[in-house]
Amino acid sequence: SQTYLAVGLVILLICFIISKSTVKDRLIVASFVLIPIVHQFLTRYAFGISTEFSAMLVSIVLIFGVVVAKHEKKLLKTEKKLYESKISVMVSQIQPHFMYNALTSIAMMCTIDPPTAQEATVTFAKYLRGNMDSLKQKAPVPFKQELEHLKKYLYIEKLRFGDKLNIEYDITVDEFLIPLLSVQPLVENAVKHGVGMKKKGGTVTITAKETEDAFEVIVSDDGVGFDTNAPRKEDGRSHVGMENTRMRLKEMCSGEVMIESTIDVGTTATIRLPKEGQKN
């Protein structure tokens, strides 16, 4: 008993010295030592009363409660960040200039090609609905659902850019999960700041493939490119959308985004989703 008391006090002292937690947290953890020590005094001075098991039980329950409470707090904080990031992504993708350009293109088609204008209006409405529905989506979705949303976006951009924008798809797999609206910031940059800045236009290619340990979504363009090592500047690129995309991919799928670009050659953005993250 005396050995336990001595060792316990030493451990308690060390914990208080090296711990970076708050005083409250340190006291709660220290209770795992303090409560059994109190038990020793009760057993010593109150003959016939043993509180050994109750003391240990109280200590364990207290520690368990603290661990669970901290875990729940962390989960709530992460969920809040994910929700806020989804709102930011959604807003960044329905900016006034995009809506203005889309509606202007549709208005022009009303005179030139009424059937196309009608189809474009329906597609644009479905696109907006998909963005609004994303706020209700808390879990990753099948890639084929994300791809359908991308096609609506690219259909609208094709109306505006015409022959300057070519779109190619190389989809060999679509039965994997990905956060909703996580590919569009990459496609948006490829269209607006890649081929859109090139005098003769260019091609945006969307590829989805499976490797031994991951799924990959690759958005490449043969546009103007940029220097990836240069300091970030306000060039109109979707920096906010990209940062949110990185965060959501990491938190929801353990994924990552890698970007390679060469000036006057083009840009390649790769989303890598480990298969292990798919299981979680």
Side-chain angles (χ1 to χ4, degrees):
S1 297
Q2 301 307 316
T3 301
Y4 179 89
L5 176 61
V7 173
L9 289 174
V10 171
I11 293 175
L12 179 61
L13 181 61
I14 294 174
C15 287
F16 265 90
I17 293 173
I18 67 174
S19 177
K20 296 181 180 179
S21 302
T22 63
V23 175
K24 179 182 177 181
D25 288 342
R26 281 182 280 178
L27 285 173
I28 292 175
V29 175
S31 67
F32 194 72
V33 176
L34 290 174
I35 292 178
I37 289 176
V38 172
H39 145 72
Q40 296 293 332
F41 285 103
L42 289 176
T43 303
R44 182 180 180 87
Y45 296 107
F47 181 77
I49 299 178
S50 177
T51 57
E52 179 179 0
F53 294 110
S54 57
M56 294 300 295
L57 179 61
V58 170
S59 299
I60 293 172
V61 170
L62 196 58
I63 295 296
F64 181 75
V66 171
V67 171
V68 170
K70 281 197 162 190
H71 184 63
E72 290 292 331
K73 185 177 180 181
K74 183 179 180 181
L75 285 178
L76 288 173
K77 185 177 180 181
T78 301
E79 185 175 348
K80 181 181 178 182
K81 285 179 64 178
L82 289 173
Y83 182 75
E84 290 174 346
S85 70
K86 285 199 296 184
I87 293 177
S88 298
V89 171
M90 188 199 72
V91 172
S92 71
Q93 292 166 357
I94 314 181
Q95 294 181 4
H97 74 269
F98 173 70
M99 296 187 68
Y100 173 79
N101 291 332
L103 292 173
T104 300
S105 298
I106 293 173
M108 292 176 61
M109 286 293 173
C110 288
T111 303
I112 303 173
D113 189 351
T116 300
Q118 182 179 7
E119 182 182 357
T121 302
V122 174
T123 301
F124 186 51
K126 290 180 178 179
Y127 170 80
L128 293 176
R129 182 175 181 178
N131 276 271
M132 297 303 296
D133 288 346
S134 69
L135 293 178
K136 305 174 185 177
Q137 185 65 42
K138 296 183 178 180
V141 299
F143 174 69
K144 58 183 177 182
Q145 180 178 336
E146 173 76 353
L147 183 61
E148 286 303 312
H149 189 73
L150 278 174
K151 288 180 178 179
K152 294 181 179 67
Y153 167 77
L154 288 170
Y155 174 89
I156 297 167
E157 290 290 57
K158 178 71 175 175
L159 287 178
R160 184 160 68 98
F161 287 98
D163 294 336
K164 288 185 63 178
L165 174 61
N166 299 310
I167 305 163
E168 295 182 357
Y169 298 95
D170 182 14
I171 310 299
T172 58
V173 59
D174 60 7
E175 294 297 330
F176 59 92
L177 300 177
I178 191 169
L180 196 62
L181 302 182
S182 58
V183 183
Q184 186 167 327
L186 306 179
V187 177
E188 184 178 345
N189 280 336
V191 172
K192 294 183 179 180
H193 309 293
V195 300
M197 300 297 290
K198 195 174 181 179
K199 188 175 182 179
K200 296 182 179 180
T203 301
V204 174
T205 303
I206 300 175
T207 304
K209 65 179 184 178
E210 180 179 3
T211 65
E212 184 177 348
D213 59 350
F215 296 100
E216 292 184 353
V217 179
I218 304 169
V219 179
S220 58
D221 67 75
D222 55 2
V224 297
F226 65 97
D227 184 0
T228 56
N229 297 318
R232 193 173 74 176
K233 58 182 180 179
E234 296 300 325
D235 54 2
R237 292 180 178 272
S238 302
H239 296 306
V240 174
M242 278 301 304
E243 291 304 315
N244 284 331
T245 296
R246 290 180 190 276
M247 191 271 287
R248 290 194 300 136
L249 285 167
K250 181 179 179 181
E251 294 289 345
M252 299 175 74
C253 300
S254 301
E256 60 179 339
V257 181
M258 297 161 286
I259 297 178
E260 298 177 353
S261 186
T262 303
I263 296 177
D264 295 329
V265 175
T267 302
T268 299
T270 303
I271 295 177
R272 187 176 185 278
L273 303 166
K275 291 183 178 179
E276 188 65 29
Q278 298 284 303
K279 298 177 183 179
N280 296 328

